[in-house]
Amino acid sequence: MDADRFPTLDPDLVDLVRMLPDDLAGLDDVPASRAMIKTLIPVTEPEAADRLEITDVAVGDASVRVYRPRDVAGDLPGLLYIHGGGFCLGDVETEHLAAAWLADELGVVLASVDYRLAPEHTYPAGLDDCYAALEHLAKTDGVDDTRIAVHGQSAGGALAAGVALLARDRGGPAVCFQSLGIPVLDDRLDSPSMRAFVDTPLWSRPQAEKSWELYLGGREADGYAAPARTDDLAGLPPAYVVTCELDPLRDEGLIYAMRLLQAGVSVELHQFPGTFHGASLVPGAAVVKRMTDELVTVLRRALFGRR
């Protein structure tokens, strides 16, 4: 891919973009995409494994991997962790290293959801699984149910926002914070960035179109599938929203954050310049390190207060 087409691209990300093919595969062959991802998963155990109790539990039609710091007395905050992947890809294994690291770094009970994927399981299956995982986390021994946050990246951001909406509307567990990283939020695909970015690195409008098609399976989206469609955002938990400059999802994240603010919800919004959807694949880049450090700082303050 010609990195020169993106003049604002962060210099630390240029080499990765140049390695990408111009015709990066989308979601036309989901099984092949899943198989490709599995070849990229490190086989090593997390560095923090000896400091964590890690268990897999069945929750309804899904599975949840729970990470808890060892030898810590008292109730800990809980974090519901929802992976991305266009609603079709990813699982707890692809997120194992990241989830273990975050649980250890924060010192919380983290529940990573292995939710059902499209196209085999269309909406609302995945969201139902994530909400069931939230309820399970809130009832887990050793979890302080007044300090539970949700965090999701990309399609996981859509599911995290949907879980926060469901918890509000169903009177469910009291989510104290929602972290929405480069979130998918609007199936209408009509924002300026979504219209403009048809060939951006790793995620572009054609992929977004296919992702929504597979997730909805012909069903019309409601405000829980596509949170941007929700008219009333009042009463939702405080939010942290991250967007990337060269991401077709950029503007729907910005708009959602502004609408939350207008509804009286406290929001921290960070639009990272020179980045694209999936920039985290370059963990050594200074801007990616800032993203990671800020996420930890924000979640720590949300779950533990100022410390």
Side-chain angles (χ1 to χ4, degrees), residues 243-300:
T243 61
C244 289
E245 180 181 352
L246 301 172
D247 185 352
L249 300 168
R250 181 194 68 200
D251 292 348
E252 59 199 68
L254 296 174
I255 292 167
Y256 194 71
M258 293 301 296
R259 290 188 57 222
L260 286 169
L261 276 170
Q262 291 162 0
V265 177
S266 182
V267 176
E268 182 168 355
L269 169 64
H270 198 141
Q271 150 58 35
F272 283 92
T275 57
F276 52 85
H277 199 87
S280 59
L281 290 173
V282 189
V287 67
V288 175
K289 290 180 180 178
R290 285 199 293 129
M291 287 176 161
T292 303
D293 291 345
E294 188 174 280
L295 174 64
V296 171
T297 298
V298 167
L299 287 174
R300 184 176 286 131

Side-chain angles (χ1 to χ4, degrees), residues 196-229:
F197 293 151
V198 297
D199 58 355
T200 36
L202 292 177
W203 196 251
S204 61
R205 181 188 176 93
Q207 292 160 307
E209 290 174 343
K210 189 65 175 180
S211 173
W212 278 112
E213 175 189 331
L214 296 174
Y215 182 48
L216 295 175
R219 176 173 180 165
E220 184 175 354
D222 58 20
Y224 301 116
R229 287 182 173 268

Side-chain angles (χ1 to χ4, degrees), residues 23-30 32-33 89 202-203 206-207 210 214:
D23 57 345
L24 189 67
L27 295 172
D28 293 325
D29 189 340
V30 171
S33 295
L89 311 174
L202 292 177
W203 196 251
Q207 292 160 307
K210 189 65 175 180
L214 296 174

Side-chain angles (χ1 to χ4, degrees), residues 88-124:
C88 304
L89 311 174
D91 54 26
V92 295
E93 297 299 338
T94 64
E95 299 295 320
H96 185 46
L97 292 179
W101 177 82
L102 191 57
D104 180 58
E105 188 73 13
L106 290 172
V108 301
V109 179
L110 184 149
S112 179
V113 193
D114 207 10
Y115 57 88
R116 288 171 290 173
L117 299 175
E120 297 88 346
H121 305 282
T122 56
Y123 175 76

